[in-house]
Amino acid sequence: MPLPTDGKLWGRLNFVCPAGSFLNFGSLCFGSAMLAVPIRRSYRVINSAALIRVSDSADIPVSNLTVGIDWESWCWTLSATLMNRTGYERVPAAPGLVQATINGFVWRFVVDEVDYSRAFNDFGGQLTGRSPIALMAEPYSLAKSYWETSTKTAQQLMLQELPEGYSLSVSLPDWTVPAGVFKYENLTPMEALIRIAKSCGGKVYAHKTDQTLYAVPKWPRKPWDWLSSPATVTLPSSYTLKENLKQQEGFEYEAIMVSGGVDSGIVAICKRAATGGLTHAPSVVDTLITHLDAAEPRAIQELADQWPMKRYTLELPLQATPAGAGLIEPGIVLDFADGEEDGWRGLVTGVTINATWDSVQQTVEVVAP
């Protein structure tokens, strides 16, 4: 091949890494994760929704179904508008189970309340429910008082709160809690589990259909280190029907003191890496903070809760993968790719699905620094 004659240097770039590892080209670009849905010129969604009684699969006629969960809640909730007296009579008495199916996605709920009103040529009825795990909470489970007299780990304390037939998946740190430290008054099993998870910066939430709980970090990544690892999926803007943005005020604290109190607790002053630790968030006291393994994630959660964030609301179809983006659940970290622009990366904190006669819409709440 002849050499160029314009005086410019030329050659070939060799991208082979002799160290046998990988080449580092800097921070990941937005949109680098797996696409949640293929980018197409148009999308076609066939909607369907139904509510049935679980005991015998009897159909419950409804004109509206709303299912949702947010990052501060421990269960999915149901709200349904009953069409007629037949629908009302087919709703099982609390705590009977009903099952909602929307575009192929399935949820089960314990019936909490059902009511109706009737006038001449008019009927109105409403049904509300919560995930089956609600049987561990009021009014189905009695509050009790408890004092643990043995030394146990935090996960052992959580597992002993589970009634028979329930399961728990834990993705939180574990540490030793000395005898006599874990005690409470007038708490249901659900409230006790939330109490333990919160002590190390975690939260609990329920499975959509089963009697299963998940204990996970409230903030799977730190707001001040948002781009440290890839997102779970990339959501193209072309699949979004509507996007809203609202700024949430906050403060970028550099440090916080967390303490376990006087009963075998520790005191830890935690500061963000690469900062001077000059600005302190309000201190936190929790008797279960008896080890640094609990103090550090609790400090991260407290600082993250007060971080200034952008709050996005995305409206999009509910469509199973691979044709659609699927159900976007809280805890997912997504990259929002907006055409040729960089877009943004956010954490899903809530989702609501609303089904009516002629539409099904998924509304996703996302936060981003």
Side-chain angles (χ1 to χ4, degrees), residues 178-189:
V181 172
F182 180 59
K183 53 188 174 182
Y184 58 81
E185 294 183 3
N186 299 322
L187 296 183
T188 63

Side-chain angles (χ1 to χ4, degrees), residues 114-137:
V114 58
D115 57 64
Y116 84 94
S117 61
R118 185 173 62 176
F120 179 74
N121 199 33
D122 181 64
F123 176 88
Q126 197 70 23
L127 162 68
T128 61
R130 292 177 292 170
S131 300
I133 211 75
L135 294 176
M136 291 177 56

Side-chain angles (χ1 to χ4, degrees), residues 12-310:
R12 295 182 179 178
L13 292 175
N14 183 2
F15 285 96
V16 175
C17 184
S21 181
F22 61 90
L23 292 173
N24 183 3
F25 287 97
S27 299
L28 294 169
C29 297
F30 290 106
S32 61
M34 179 182 65
L35 280 174
V37 58
I39 299 176
R40 305 184 186 280
R41 299 183 66 178
S42 62
Y43 298 91
R44 182 181 181 186
V45 184
I46 300 177
N47 295 319
S48 64
L51 185 69
I52 65 171
R53 186 170 56 199
V54 171
S55 60
D56 58 1
S57 299
D59 180 65
I60 301 175
V62 295
S63 59
N64 179 280
L65 279 176
T66 301
V67 173
I69 189 173
D70 62 62
W71 206 224
E72 301 295 334
S73 302
W74 51 264
C75 69
W76 292 83
T77 59
L78 166 71
S79 176
T81 302
L82 303 172
M83 291 181 59
N84 47 42
R85 179 61 184 264
T86 300
Y88 172 80
E89 292 175 346
R90 290 182 181 176
V91 175
L97 288 176
V98 295
Q99 178 173 296
T101 304
I102 305 176
N103 287 5
F105 295 92
V106 179
W107 295 263
R108 284 193 173 185
F109 299 96
V110 171
V111 174
D112 275 337
E113 294 183 0
V114 58
D115 57 64
Y116 84 94
S117 61
R118 185 173 62 176
F120 179 74
N121 199 33
D122 181 64
F123 176 88
Q126 197 70 23
L127 162 68
T128 61
R130 292 177 292 170
S131 300
I133 211 75
L135 294 176
M136 291 177 56
E138 292 181 340
Y140 309 113
S141 183
L142 297 178
K144 66 175 183 178
S145 297
Y146 181 77
W147 189 349
E148 179 55 63
T149 57
S150 302
T151 297
K152 293 187 177 181
T153 66
Q155 291 190 14
Q156 288 174 330
L157 294 176
M158 296 182 78
L159 290 172
Q160 71 184 18
E161 293 292 336
L162 288 178
E164 185 177 354
Y166 292 74
S167 61
L168 176 68
S169 175
V170 183
S171 301
L172 295 173
D174 200 10
W175 71 98
T176 300
V177 180
V181 172
F182 180 59
K183 53 188 174 182
Y184 58 81
E185 294 183 3
N186 299 322
L187 296 183
T188 63
M190 178 59 67
E191 290 171 329
L193 284 170
I194 293 172
R195 160 87 178 83
I196 301 169
K198 183 179 179 180
S199 67
C200 64
K203 68 177 297 295
V204 297
Y205 72 96
H207 190 273
K208 297 194 298 296
T209 59
D210 303 335
Q211 291 179 325
T212 301
L213 269 175
Y214 300 93
V216 299
K218 184 178 180 182
W219 291 91
R221 67 180 65 195
K222 309 164 191 173
W224 51 90
D225 197 17
W226 208 246
L227 306 181
S228 59
S229 57
T232 309
V233 295
T234 293
L235 180 67
S237 60
S238 59
Y239 193 72
T240 306
L241 303 174
K242 188 177 180 181
E243 175 189 0
N244 291 325
L245 169 62
K246 182 179 180 181
Q247 184 70 40
Q248 173 185 294
E249 299 298 326
F251 195 86
E252 298 181 6
Y253 289 109
E254 295 182 354
I256 186 173
M257 184 180 76
V258 293
S259 169
V262 297
D263 294 330
S264 302
I266 67 168
V267 177
I269 298 178
C270 305
K271 71 173 185 176
R272 293 194 286 117
T275 70
L278 300 179
T279 54
H280 281 243
S283 301
V284 172
V285 178
D286 191 314
T287 56
L288 290 181
I289 300 178
T290 59
H291 194 279
L292 191 59
D293 288 345
E296 182 179 354
R298 178 60 179 271
I300 292 173
Q301 175 252 305
E302 294 291 339
L303 293 176
D305 280 351
Q306 301 174 76
W307 200 263
M309 305 290 279
K310 299 181 182 71

